[in-house]
């Protein structure tokens, strides 16, 4: 709605834009196409599931039951990446009676000797895989919990973090485009009233503040994507029992820039990717400082 107000005021004050729209209709059409795409992305992100633990547990148990009937073998964390499609329209928080398979899967993701109570949610009373947190606003445990977005009204997690990034990107591009229009209006050599200039300057200042915030947010989440981190892991690192002992500049879940980007952008919506905690050997290797030979061998990728 704010974008419509900003664009509407500018079209009302700046008649040259209407003439330009007649000469180059593709230019104005591209702006409104970006606006529609941003609006659609907003609702898609807002209505999407962040990836709830209860859904993953239900899917893992259903798959394990089918797997047991077929081969009579126990569940393992090695076969949890391929999960059946979840019915998102099933809102109740009922937990399957047989949680043995889920417990086995989650325990395999942690280091041997880790106490069960250390990763059991005190609110949902379910076993949490690594990188999971209980959201008090949604009252559910979210896989790869990033944060709860009050503007979207939903959590940002494993399932919708990519959609959230694209929404920020489109919102930033839209604000930047609107700001360019406002600057071109102020620089135009046309006769206009002083009060129109005052309104445009005030709107441009508020737009610039929003643009700075969006740019910083976009850069911050891009950094999180490249290092395979979440906002919660970065801010609350000392409160997470399996991260507090690690050095600050060590990213335990990072698989390299290229692999992180691939898994972030190409994540399939019906698959829950439960990442195990890296071993001490992997942590030691990732904490080793980069050398010239590492850069030549593309270790960071």
């Amino acid at each position: 709605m704010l974008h419509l107000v900003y664009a509407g005021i500018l079209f009302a004050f700046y008649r040259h834009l209407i003439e330009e729209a007649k000469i180059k209709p593709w230019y104005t059409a591209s702006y409104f196409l970006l606006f529609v795409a941003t609006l659609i992305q907003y609702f898609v992100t807002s209505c999407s599931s962040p990836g709830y633990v209860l859904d993953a547990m239900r899917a893992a148990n259903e798959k394990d039951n089918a797997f047991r009937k077929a081969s009579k073998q126990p569940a393992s964390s090695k076969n949890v990446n391929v999960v059946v499609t979840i019915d998102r329209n099933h809102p109740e928080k009922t937990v399957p009676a047989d949680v043995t398979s889920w417990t086995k899967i989650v325990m395999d993701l942690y280091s041997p000797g880790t106490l069960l109570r250390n990763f059991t949610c005190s609110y949902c009373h379910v076993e949490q895989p690594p990188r999971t947190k209980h959201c008090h606003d949604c009252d559910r445990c979210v896989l790869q919990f990033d944060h709860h977005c009050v503007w979207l009204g939903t959590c940002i997690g494993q399932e919708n973090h990519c959609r959230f990034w694209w929404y920020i990107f489109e919102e930033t591009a839209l604000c930047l485009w609107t700001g360019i229009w406002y600057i071109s209006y102020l620089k135009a050599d046309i006769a206009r009233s002083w009060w129109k200039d005052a309104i445009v300057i005030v709107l441009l200042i508020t737009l610039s503040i929003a643009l700075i915030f969006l740019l910083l947010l976009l850069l911050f989440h891009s950094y999180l994507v490249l290092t395979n981190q979440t906002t919660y892991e970065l801010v609350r690192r000392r409160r997470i029992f399996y991260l507090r002992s690690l050095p600050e500049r060590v990213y335990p879940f990072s698989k390299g820039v290229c692999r992180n980007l691939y898994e972030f952008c190409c994540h399939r919506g019906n698959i829950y990717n439960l990442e195990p905690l890296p071993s001490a050997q992997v942590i030691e290797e990732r904490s080793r400082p980069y050398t010239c030979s590492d850069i030549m061998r593309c270790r960071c990728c």
Side-chain angles (χ1 to χ4, degrees), residues 69-109:
K69 292 178 181 178
S71 59
K72 303 297 182 180
Q73 294 182 8
S76 172
S77 60
K78 295 180 181 179
N79 57 28
V80 75
N81 282 338
V82 183
V83 180
V84 296
T85 304
I86 301 300
D87 182 10
R88 304 292 184 187
N89 300 320
H90 202 58
E92 67 269 19
K93 297 171 62 175
T94 57
V95 180
D98 179 25
V99 296
T100 306
S101 59
W102 176 252
T103 305
K104 174 69 167 59
I105 289 170
V106 174
M107 290 186 68
D108 287 347
L109 299 173

Side-chain angles (χ1 to χ4, degrees), residues 57-75:
M57 182 172 63
R58 187 183 298 113
N61 282 317
E62 289 176 357
K63 178 175 176 60
D64 180 63
N65 291 334
F67 188 75
R68 285 173 182 271
K69 292 178 181 178
S71 59
K72 303 297 182 180
Q73 294 182 8

Side-chain angles (χ1 to χ4, degrees), residues 65-247:
N65 291 334
F67 188 75
R68 285 173 182 271
K69 292 178 181 178
S71 59
K72 303 297 182 180
Q73 294 182 8
S76 172
S77 60
K78 295 180 181 179
N79 57 28
V80 75
N81 282 338
V82 183
V83 180
V84 296
T85 304
I86 301 300
D87 182 10
R88 304 292 184 187
N89 300 320
H90 202 58
E92 67 269 19
K93 297 171 62 175
T94 57
V95 180
D98 179 25
V99 296
T100 306
S101 59
W102 176 252
T103 305
K104 174 69 167 59
I105 289 170
V106 174
M107 290 186 68
D108 287 347
L109 299 173
Y110 288 93
S111 304
T114 305
L115 297 177
L116 187 63
R117 60 182 175 85
N118 286 346
F119 53 84
T120 301
C121 179
S122 57
Y123 300 95
C124 297
H125 304 290
V126 297
E127 293 79 12
Q128 296 177 330
R131 316 191 71 184
T132 302
K133 183 188 177 296
H134 183 88
C135 176
H136 296 282
D137 296 286
C138 298
D139 195 26
R140 291 187 179 186
C141 289
V142 179
L143 296 169
Q144 288 188 22
F145 175 84
D146 189 87
H147 70 285
H148 184 89
C149 183
V150 295
W151 306 106
L152 293 170
T154 187
C155 278
I156 305 301
Q158 183 183 96
E159 295 290 296
N160 60 357
H161 198 176
C162 183
R163 298 187 185 98
F164 177 74
W165 188 94
W166 278 110
Y167 167 68
I168 299 174
F169 176 80
E170 293 170 4
E171 192 73 58
T172 303
L174 195 61
C175 284
L176 184 61
W177 199 336
T178 307
I180 292 173
W181 274 3
Y182 269 71
I183 293 174
S184 64
Y185 168 80
L186 293 174
K187 291 175 64 177
D189 187 15
I190 56 175
R192 51 181 180 262
S193 304
W194 65 268
W195 59 271
K196 291 184 178 180
D197 284 355
I199 293 176
V200 170
I201 290 173
V202 171
L203 291 177
L204 182 60
I205 291 174
T206 57
L207 185 66
S208 301
I209 295 173
L211 181 59
I212 292 172
F213 171 77
L214 285 170
L215 276 173
L216 292 175
L217 188 63
L218 181 64
L219 291 174
F220 174 69
H221 277 274
S222 300
Y223 164 74
L224 294 178
V225 171
L226 294 176
T227 56
N228 196 9
Q229 296 185 92
T230 64
T231 302
Y232 176 71
E233 290 171 347
L234 186 65
V235 176
R236 301 292 185 180
R237 190 181 182 102
R238 295 303 176 189
R239 295 182 57 181
I240 304 174
F241 74 92
Y242 51 84
L243 294 180
R244 63 168 66 110
S245 60
L246 302 180

